[in-house]
Amino acid sequence: MLHDIPHPYLIYAGHAVDALDVKTGMGLVEWRPNWCGGQWRESESVYDLRLPDMTPTAARAAGMTTMVIGVAEFGGRLTDGLKAAVAEAIAAGLNVASGLHDRLNADPDLARAARQAGVHLFDVRGLPPGAQPPVASGRRRTGRRLLTVGTDCAVGKKFTALSLERDLHAAGRSATFRATGQTGVLISGGGVAIDAVAADFLAGVVEQMTPDNMSDHWDIVEGQGSLHHPAYAAVSLGLLHGAQPDAFVVCHEAGREAVLGYETFPLPSIGDCIELVVANGRRLNPDIRCVGVSLNCSQIRPSERAAAKRALEAEAGLPVVDPAEDGTGRLIAAMDGLR
Amino acid sequence: MLHDIPHPYLIYAGHAVDALDVKTGMGLVEWRPNWCGGQWRESESVYDLRLPDMTPTAARAAGMTTMVIGVAEFGGRLTDGLKAAVAEAIAAGLNVASGLHDRLNADPDLARAARQAGVHLFDVRGLPPGAQPPVASGRRRTGRRLLTVGTDCAVGKKFTALSLERDLHAAGRSATFRATGQTGVLISGGGVAIDAVAADFLAGVVEQMTPDNMSDHWDIVEGQGSLHHPAYAAVSLGLLHGAQPDAFVVCHEAGREAVLGYETFPLPSIGDCIELVVANGRRLNPDIRCVGVSLNCSQIRPSERAAAKRALEAEAGLPVVDPAEDGTGRLIAAMDGLR
């Protein structure tokens, strides 16, 4: 029922000139360098992901299996230009994976071409076509689970989860990043972007995404939104209930004081955030515990970062790390200290 | 963006022999007797809603505007028999409203016939076709709002909300029942069944459903699920945030001890339920207050009911009523006592 996208990838960078326009592609190169075999740019002036330039036909010949649309991370339309690029990839025998709001499978021309070529079109927003979403059972599963929660959107929940997976793997540990957003799905090749799932099935989809596992295995579940967010808290709660986490990390951006785009809503304190996550999360897992704080310091001066972390650590009484600077070793130590 | 279903209604009772099979039709007759002009039964042995029997053609001639499918309240398929009945209603010039899981609008034959006849097909699960769901703004609106919350599903949240509306109207007060489930939408002719809305838009849809109003007007919002439910809590939280209620009533069924279908999950106490609703609800409305408990006593003996209500009233320190026996006057008095 979840997506399962074959790699290696050809990254379509299109006409993107700025790094921000090809953010999805950059995330793929950063987190899955071995999966990225080439880039397809419409001209020499397009942002360079430092992958070999190639056409879809050349990429297929070189063993690539899927073209990922690396542009327009948050939604966006299937423009005529994009549609032509997708059609060319299909004709070359590549699957195509997309985080666009417009579904490739909903375009009759592309859907027919893909059928005829025997390739798949992956629309990672929402479930695969025809998938019957499950209702949650509430059953506890074997293995351990950690969820990255946030004081807001866009504070580093995906980055923190991917950092934890990387650092656990580096330590020889068994762990799996579980994607719940479109970029995360493309980076991991699996999971589902849950914000487009009907609310009744949200927890059930997350349960399926984090199944029974070995007792020492950690699922590292990518969080979404915030229980304190005025629009998206329902997504966060379905995720919290479905994941039944043993541990969670609160992600926060240093310097941010109000909800992005909702300036009349001050962000909760770390303590208030922990309290609300536990109040809701203990219904599905009475042992839920906060193991630390991930403080994204990218928006404050380098000279202020150490003090910001120290101050928050004193306030919260928990390890505070910026994964981009410090790694996640102290969070992992706290996870190991549970029970 | 919400449904808006014209009445009077012809109720389609089909082949339903048991009262339970025609529960939607019974709800319509109970709560909107003046909207129900006739029933269409496939034979004399079908359950009698005590409305004049008539065919779609006769109903149209008598001034009815919409045929409501009164059978198979929870989901169900568009069988060949049902499809034939819908086609006959369309041919007679009636709109058709349905709470079926299978959407009438997704059937090409019915969609075409409706277009040609100039009538509407209302699929009340989810949004009308083509509706662009909104993201919540979090903005406070004028007027007052009450939400019925629950310790579980199927405890009387819709019944309590409809009772409150009826009793407020009887007292000459301004109040509107706001439907959030399929039967409620058919009973009220408006609203939307929110369980099929993508989680990202849940609070936004509920905001639109409960807009600015006169300062002494009460929106009485039908609750769904429970924040303590292992599968459906996300729906309940989106509803709580979108409605921003000033007041809530906890609905509970006397004698029920575990979540329906989830026997390993004991129901929360009324106190725990209130605490979690306030912990989550105060983010959008800091003044949120519980005004009482609606205790559905239908499953315990009549001789035990008074004692059950007294015991719960002592435990909760709030008015406890069974709307079916006591009306909602004490809840309304508590609403009037706020601020």
Side-chain angles (χ1 to χ4, degrees):
Chain A
M1 196 218 50
L2 309 174
H3 297 287
D4 187 5
I5 306 171
H7 53 85
Y9 294 158
L10 171 69
I11 314 288
Y12 180 69
H15 299 275
V17 175
D18 287 336
L20 213 65
D21 296 331
V22 68
K23 211 172 140 187
T24 301
M26 290 181 67
L28 292 166
V29 171
E30 177 174 4
W31 290 104
R32 295 295 182 260
N34 297 335
W35 293 10
C36 298
Q39 64 182 346
W40 180 21
R41 301 185 296 162
E42 295 283 1
S43 78
E44 291 280 312
S45 59
V46 169
Y47 188 87
D48 186 359
L49 293 167
R50 309 202 175 268
L51 295 168
D53 282 300
M54 53 184 82
T55 63
T57 306
R60 186 74 192 91
M64 266 145 268
T65 51
T66 303
M67 182 177 89
V68 176
I69 299 179
V71 292
E73 181 188 4
F74 293 112
R77 297 291 165 191
L78 181 64
T79 59
D80 289 346
L82 265 174
K83 183 171 165 177
V86 172
E88 190 171 336
I90 292 170
L94 293 171
N95 306 303
V96 182
S98 158
L100 295 176
H101 183 82
D102 289 342
R103 296 172 71 88
L104 303 182
N105 283 294
D107 184 287
D109 302 330
L110 296 179
R112 190 182 327 109
R115 244 187 342 265
Q116 286 167 357
V119 299
H120 280 93
L121 302 178
F122 296 98
D123 290 301
V124 304
R125 296 180 81 128
L127 301 176
Q132 285 288 347
V135 171
S137 72
R139 185 178 70 80
R140 294 291 298 277
R141 283 94 72 202
T142 52
R144 318 296 302 275
R145 279 159 206 86
L146 178 141
L147 175 68
T148 56
V149 306
T151 54
D152 194 3
C153 295
V155 290
K157 292 183 286 283
K158 178 175 77 243
F159 188 91
T160 302
L162 285 162
S163 300
L164 278 164
E165 183 196 44
R166 182 195 55 203
D167 296 347
L168 283 162
H169 285 176
R173 308 278 297 273
S174 172
T176 310
F177 169 76
R178 300 297 186 184
T180 61
Q182 46 193 326
T183 303
V185 172
L186 294 170
I187 288 175
S188 69
V192 65
I194 59 166
D195 56 0
V197 173
D200 249 13
F201 302 114
L202 199 47
V205 167
V206 177
E207 281 189 355
Q208 290 218 352
M209 201 183 289
T210 57
D212 282 317
N213 219 313
M214 297 173 297
S215 63
D216 63 345
H217 175 90
W218 280 95
D219 270 342
I220 309 295
V221 186
E222 178 192 3
Q224 295 292 334
S226 166
L227 288 178
H228 282 85
H229 196 285
Y232 303 132
V235 179
S236 308
L237 183 59
L239 184 45
L240 177 62
H241 275 189
Q244 303 181 351
D246 306 286
F248 66 95
V249 172
V250 176
C251 302
H252 178 61
E253 184 184 88
R256 195 182 301 182
E257 293 182 349
V259 176
L260 217 56
Y262 295 79
E263 302 308 323
T264 60
F265 286 87
L267 288 198
S269 70
I270 301 296
D272 287 346
C273 183
I274 293 171
E275 195 182 334
L276 195 59
V277 170
V278 171
N280 287 288
R282 68 183 170 206
R283 176 67 168 165
L284 276 293
N285 184 344
D287 298 323
I288 186 170
R289 285 276 295 281
C290 182
V291 291
V293 178
S294 172
L295 188 67
N296 172 352
C297 293
S298 62
Q299 301 303 307
I300 61 172
R301 290 200 196 90
S303 60
E304 295 170 348
R305 292 175 185 172
K309 285 183 261 187
R310 269 199 310 274
L312 194 54
E313 191 149 329
E315 177 192 321
L318 287 163
V320 176
V321 301
D322 181 345
E325 296 188 328
D326 313 316
T328 61
R330 294 180 64 212
L331 301 177
I332 292 171
M335 290 156 67
D336 289 338
L338 295 177
R339 265 188 284 182
Chain B
M1 199 219 49
L2 310 173
H3 297 287
D4 187 6
I5 306 171
H7 52 85
Y9 294 157
L10 171 69
I11 314 288
Y12 179 69
H15 300 274
V17 176
D18 287 336
L20 212 63
D21 296 332
V22 68
K23 211 173 139 186
T24 300
M26 291 180 67
L28 291 167
V29 171
E30 176 174 4
W31 291 103
R32 296 293 182 263
N34 297 335
W35 294 9
C36 298
Q39 63 182 347
W40 180 22
R41 300 185 298 162
E42 295 283 0
S43 78
E44 291 280 313
S45 59
V46 168
Y47 188 89
D48 187 357
L49 294 167
R50 308 201 175 269
L51 295 169
D53 281 301
M54 53 183 83
T55 62
T57 306
R60 186 74 192 91
M64 265 146 269
T65 51
T66 302
M67 181 176 90
V68 176
I69 299 180
V71 292
E73 182 188 5
F74 293 112
R77 297 290 163 192
L78 180 65
T79 59
D80 290 345
L82 265 175
K83 183 172 164 175
V86 172
E88 190 172 335
I90 292 170
L94 293 171
N95 305 303
V96 182
S98 158
L100 296 176
H101 182 82
D102 288 342
R103 296 172 71 89
L104 303 182
N105 283 294
D107 184 288
D109 302 331
L110 296 179
R112 190 180 330 107
R115 244 187 342 265
Q116 286 167 356
V119 300
H120 280 94
L121 302 177
F122 297 97
D123 289 301
V124 304
R125 296 181 81 129
L127 301 176
Q132 285 288 345
V135 171
S137 72
R139 185 179 68 80
R140 294 292 297 278
R141 283 94 73 202
T142 52
R144 319 294 304 272
R145 280 159 205 87
L146 178 141
L147 175 67
T148 56
V149 306
T151 54
D152 195 3
C153 296
V155 290
K157 293 183 285 284
K158 179 175 75 244
F159 188 91
T160 302
L162 284 162
S163 301
L164 277 165
E165 184 198 46
R166 181 194 55 203
D167 296 346
L168 283 162
H169 285 177
R173 308 279 296 273
S174 172
T176 310
F177 169 76
R178 300 295 186 185
T180 62
Q182 47 195 327
T183 303
V185 172
L186 295 170
I187 288 174
S188 68
V192 65
I194 59 166
D195 56 359
V197 173
D200 250 13
F201 302 114
L202 199 48
V205 167
V206 178
E207 281 188 355
Q208 290 217 353
M209 200 184 287
T210 56
D212 281 317
N213 219 313
M214 296 174 297
S215 62
D216 63 345
H217 176 89
W218 280 96
D219 270 342
I220 309 295
V221 186
E222 178 192 5
Q224 295 292 334
S226 166
L227 288 178
H228 283 86
H229 196 285
Y232 304 132
V235 179
S236 308
L237 183 59
L239 185 43
L240 176 62
H241 275 188
Q244 304 181 350
D246 305 286
F248 66 96
V249 173
V250 176
C251 302
H252 177 61
E253 184 184 87
R256 195 182 301 182
E257 292 182 349
V259 176
L260 216 56
Y262 295 78
E263 302 308 324
T264 60
F265 286 87
L267 288 198
S269 71
I270 301 296
D272 286 346
C273 183
I274 292 171
E275 195 183 332
L276 196 59
V277 171
V278 171
N280 286 288
R282 67 183 168 205
R283 176 67 168 164
L284 276 293
N285 185 344
D287 299 322
I288 186 170
R289 286 275 296 281
C290 182
V291 292
V293 178
S294 172
L295 188 66
N296 173 351
C297 292
S298 62
Q299 301 303 306
I300 61 172
R301 288 198 197 90
S303 59
E304 295 171 347
R305 293 177 183 172
K309 284 184 262 189
R310 267 199 311 274
L312 194 54
E313 191 149 328
E315 176 192 322
L318 287 163
V320 175
V321 302
D322 181 347
E325 297 188 327
D326 314 316
T328 61
R330 294 180 65 212
L331 301 178
I332 292 171
M335 290 156 66
D336 288 338
L338 293 178
R339 264 188 289 179

